[in-house]
Amino acid sequence: MSKVIAVIGAQWGDEGKGKIVDLLAERFDIVARYQGGHNAGHSVQVGDQSFVLHLLPSGIVHRGKTCVLGNGMVIDPKAFFVEADRLTQQGIEVSPERVKISSRAHLILPYHRALDHTSEERLGNEKVGTTLRGIGPAYEDKAGRRGIRTADALVPDVLRSRIERNLEDANRIIEAYGGERLDVDEIFKEMSVLTERLAPFIADTTHYLNVAATEGRSILLEGAQATLLDVDHGTYPFVTSSTTVAGGAIIGTGLAPQRLNGVLGIVRTYTTRVGEGPFPTEMLEGEAELGQMIRERGREYGASTGRPRRCGWFDAFATRYAAEINGFSSVALTKLDVLDTLDEIKVCTGYKLNGKVCESLPAVSQDLRRVEPVYATLPGWRSSTLGMTEMSSLPTNARRYVDFLSEQIGVEIGLVSTGPERMQTIIVQDSALGGWLRDSK
Ligand code: IMP
């Protein structure tokens, strides 16, 4: 039987998926992304080389692995080549043999970026705090059935007529909000050059992946953003525009649902969020200094935009919700070492709204802003766990913290990450991970 595993962030992103996918990639033949675009920022550290990936799956840094950009993605060809050229300079092969872009993936065009800016300006205080990469407007065009897919762009007449039609509307909005009108000829020329260069990478990845699975090749499905940023299940409207959860891995690749053998949740020992939106356990007011300390220790600055990430305590209530939606088979717990210096650590075990205990995550963002987190306080361990590779070496209170989080989430912890490098990892339960991690360090 082939092995198809999805790796998904359980919080608001930046849980450390890059490192975990990199660890696992060794054991898989194909690494595929299924949603989002270059709004993602995955950092991978290999020895003394570090790579920041936005569009390409983290498997790209492993020789001999095929990388797929699935139909559920939105692709800015300019960003693709910036990243491909940078990786090539770092000695990584980015060729059509290794990288396959779905013929059904949608393109991000210059007007999508302009519309992302306009849309945020229009929202004012209610803005989402997007990455301004044009992600939302590209998905809007997809749902509005006026998007341009990679394969469409290879047909000059189709490309030109869609740009003409879409730009008419886009320019109206851009101009109404004081932006500069975009020119059809310029965009057509730019996109023609880019998509011609993109052509060798474009393939029917749906067929490719299903055939690969039938032939017994293993596939790692790499999620971007995370569960609480999912367009349906996240903290709407402060979300991204794609389906980030396990179901999205199926839709965004075209793999048949029964092929999915497992879902690994990536969970950080605390919580962060970039951009706007409710964040019940955020360290504010009396805890702002603590938040700043965690930001510095955890290097919590956006890999895509450099924005400082908002920091908060671990939210077990929201993470349980993520485990429910995704059906995590196992959890990889990351960044344990960042909490090494704390005297006490708080964990949110539930929410109260208007004095009543919440049974499930409130759907309305205004309610999420008002909930009162219910906290358990655990003692810290006040010693370094950096780089530890065995559970038995961890201080007792660190082990207790890991066990407490596992109990709270209701899923076994398969792996604990104790630093950014591959070797700085504790494999707790390979059986819970279906043996995916064996020999992967
Ligand atoms: P968009 O995906 O650029 O439309 O942004 C929508 C929301 O998702 C904003 O709050 C972003 O900060 C957030 N977001 C998008 N990509 C990432 C990511 O890779 N990590 C964390 N947050 C992200």
Side-chain angles (χ1 to χ4, degrees), residues 12-15 17 33 36-42 54 116 120 127-137 139 224-226 229 237-242 268 272-277 302-305 307 309-310:
W12 278 287
D14 310 306
E15 294 90 353
K17 290 182 291 288
R33 271 193 56 187
H38 65 309
N39 46 349
H42 292 171
H54 298 288
D116 207 348
E120 286 286 87
K127 72 173 186 198
V128 176
T130 73
T131 59
L132 300 174
R133 303 285 198 264
I135 306 291
Y139 278 115
Q225 292 79 53
L229 289 171
F238 300 96
V239 292
T240 191
S241 303
S242 64
R268 191 173 19 198
T272 70
R273 177 160 206 171
V274 206
E276 309 303 318
S304 274
T305 57
R307 288 182 290 178
R309 297 178 184 143
R310 298 155 65 192

Side-chain angles (χ1 to χ4, degrees), residues 28-45:
F28 287 78
D29 300 312
I30 299 167
V31 184
R33 271 193 56 187
Y34 57 87
Q35 44 71 231
H38 65 309
N39 46 349
H42 292 171
S43 312
V44 181
Q45 180 84 29

Side-chain angles (χ1 to χ4, degrees), residues 303-436:
S304 274
T305 57
R307 288 182 290 178
R309 297 178 184 143
R310 298 155 65 192
C311 295
W313 298 110
F314 186 80
D315 188 338
F317 189 65
T319 313
R320 264 201 305 276
Y321 168 77
E324 188 173 276
I325 298 169
N326 291 297
F328 292 146
S329 327
S330 180
V331 155
L333 194 62
T334 62
K335 297 211 171 183
L336 182 69
D337 55 296
V338 174
L339 304 185
D340 281 350
T341 58
L342 299 186
D343 290 324
E344 286 186 330
I345 306 174
K346 293 203 302 194
V347 174
C348 166
T349 56
Y351 293 166
K352 277 187 177 172
L353 183 62
N354 302 326
K356 279 201 200 127
V357 172
C358 297
E359 294 292 325
S360 62
L361 203 79
V364 179
S365 71
Q366 278 83 348
D367 286 344
L368 269 171
R369 284 189 202 282
R370 290 193 302 118
V371 294
E372 289 167 56
V374 178
Y375 284 110
T377 303
L378 280 81
W381 45 93
R382 296 195 54 83
S383 60
S384 174
T385 60
L386 182 69
M388 286 190 175
T389 54
E390 300 291 337
M391 262 325 248
S392 55
S393 321
L394 286 183
T396 310
N397 284 348
R399 269 206 309 265
R400 281 199 189 130
Y401 185 68
V402 172
D403 289 344
F404 186 72
L405 297 196
S406 173
E407 258 166 50
Q408 284 290 319
I409 308 165
V411 182
E412 281 185 359
I413 309 270
L415 177 156
V416 179
S417 170
T418 55
E421 289 181 26
R422 274 184 194 168
M423 295 303 288
Q424 297 174 316
T425 303
I426 302 172
I427 293 174
V428 190
Q429 296 246 9
D430 204 20
S431 60
L433 295 174
W436 315 324

